[in-house]
Amino acid sequence: MTVPVALAVTAVLALTGNPADRLADRPLDPVRYDYAHRCIGHAQRGTRMLESWLTAHWAGESWGIVRCERFTGRPIWSLHSEGRALDWRLDAGKPAERAAALRLIGLLLAPDRTGTPAALARRMGVQEIIFDCRSWFAGAPGMARYSACYDARGRPRRIDRTSAHRDHVHIGLNWPGARAQTSFWRSPVSRA
Ligand SMILES: [Zn+2]
């Protein structure tokens, strides 16, 4: 029997043990990105649930959620300002921690058993991931260059390790995810 190419690729990339597989029969949460516009100053419920889930299941530890910061020259605030982003400490310079971070990102962005891309991110309401000068935003096919690490001509810039996200993984949620209203947070899978 000939396996269609698309199916074969999905089969290779899908990960075993992906919690999103257990939700595959539920309606999909929309792909969306919500910019932050103000300082709210407290952690949202879904962000705290993400922190608890990572604490239970992953190497590393929380570096916190709330931090009010406005991007210079733009009317946009960091997702931390609205309590919708978590910094998870894992160091790209330490092989075991780097591997754990890449496994986490790989899991969030893997297709589920039905082939839905970035299935767990979508189920959780994750809308951005930044690690080691790479970033992903909802709807993108995968991680790409993180703009803060490069100048306007695409040359690497000298920035500190934290700004380059070499010492932590930044995970930002859209509003449904931050309110714990997406399918993952509403299901028992999130407490497994
Ligand atoms: Zn962050």
Side-chain angles (χ1 to χ4, degrees), residues 99-155:
L102 294 179
R103 272 200 311 278
L104 171 60
I105 294 165
L107 178 64
L108 288 166
L109 300 185
D112 64 11
R113 60 183 166 82
T114 70
T116 297
L120 187 57
R122 200 159 158 179
R123 296 286 183 187
M124 287 181 163
V126 170
Q127 66 173 16
E128 69 181 21
I129 301 169
I130 309 170
F131 178 66
D132 195 17
C133 282
R134 310 277 291 170
S135 59
W136 172 86
F137 300 96
M143 297 285 277
R145 281 178 158 207
Y146 175 47
S147 58
C149 292
Y150 302 90
D151 67 17
R153 294 168 66 180
R155 296 172 304 199

Side-chain angles (χ1 to χ4, degrees), residues 64-65 67 69 78 80 85-87 128 130 165 168-171:
I65 294 171
R67 192 174 63 247
E69 53 191 2
S78 143
H80 289 289
L86 169 69
D87 288 332
E128 69 181 21
I130 309 170
H165 293 70
H168 69 287
V169 184
H170 165 102
I171 304 173

Side-chain angles (χ1 to χ4, degrees), residues 148-151 155-161 163-164 166:
C149 292
Y150 302 90
D151 67 17
R155 296 172 304 199
R157 290 175 57 202
R158 292 176 67 89
I159 57 173
D160 65 89
R161 298 187 86 244
S163 299
R166 292 196 194 281

